[in-house]
């Protein structure tokens, strides 16, 4: 009995690998030496960095200011919570 995909008794066509075909070792990377692979890796890094949309100086200043203000606010919040909890612990434990 067969269904749309196949059956247990008869495997699908893509499951059957011809025995005359040789197994490849490593594909494209298997044919190159380690220095060529390293050079390819760095070329790909440079190609990806060229795709990056870099912020303008004004945007960078704005983002930096926002981050610094956020960090200062978080430091203040943690300081207040720490001070409150330490005073509560002193009150409870004497």
């Amino acid at each position: 009995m067969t269904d749309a995909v196949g059956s247990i008794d008869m495997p699908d066509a893509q499951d059957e690998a011809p025995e005359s075909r040789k197994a490849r070792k490593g594909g494209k990377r298997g044919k190159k030496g380690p220095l060529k692979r390293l050079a390819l890796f760095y070329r790909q890094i440079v190609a990806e960095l060229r795709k990056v949309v870099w912020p303008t100086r004004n945007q960078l200043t704005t983002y930096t200011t926002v981050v610094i203000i956020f960090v200062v606010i978080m430091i203040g919040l943690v300081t207040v919570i720490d001070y409150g909890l330490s005073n509560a612990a002193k009150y409870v434990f004497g």
Side-chain angles (χ1 to χ4, degrees):
M1 181 171 178
T2 61
D3 57 352
V5 177
S7 72
I8 296 173
D9 297 333
M10 300 186 68
D12 294 337
Q14 65 265 21
D15 291 342
E16 297 177 11
E19 294 174 8
S20 63
R21 180 187 257 181
K22 291 183 179 179
R24 287 171 134 185
K25 271 191 170 178
K28 291 181 180 178
R29 287 184 287 174
K31 297 177 183 176
K32 297 181 180 177
L35 291 177
K36 288 187 179 182
R37 287 188 304 200
L38 189 63
L40 174 65
F41 177 69
Y42 283 117
R43 280 196 308 270
Q44 289 174 343
I45 289 174
V46 170
E48 288 297 321
L49 285 175
R50 286 187 179 134
K51 296 178 187 178
V52 173
V53 179
W54 298 98
T56 63
R57 188 172 187 89
N58 190 20
Q59 289 173 331
L60 190 63
T61 305
T62 303
Y63 298 156
T64 305
T65 305
V66 167
V67 168
I68 290 172
I69 290 172
F70 177 76
V71 168
V72 168
I73 290 172
M74 292 308 294
I75 288 172
L77 183 66
V78 169
T79 302
V80 168
I81 291 172
D82 183 50
Y83 182 74
L85 289 176
S86 67
N87 280 343
K90 286 179 187 175
Y91 178 76
V92 169
F93 298 111

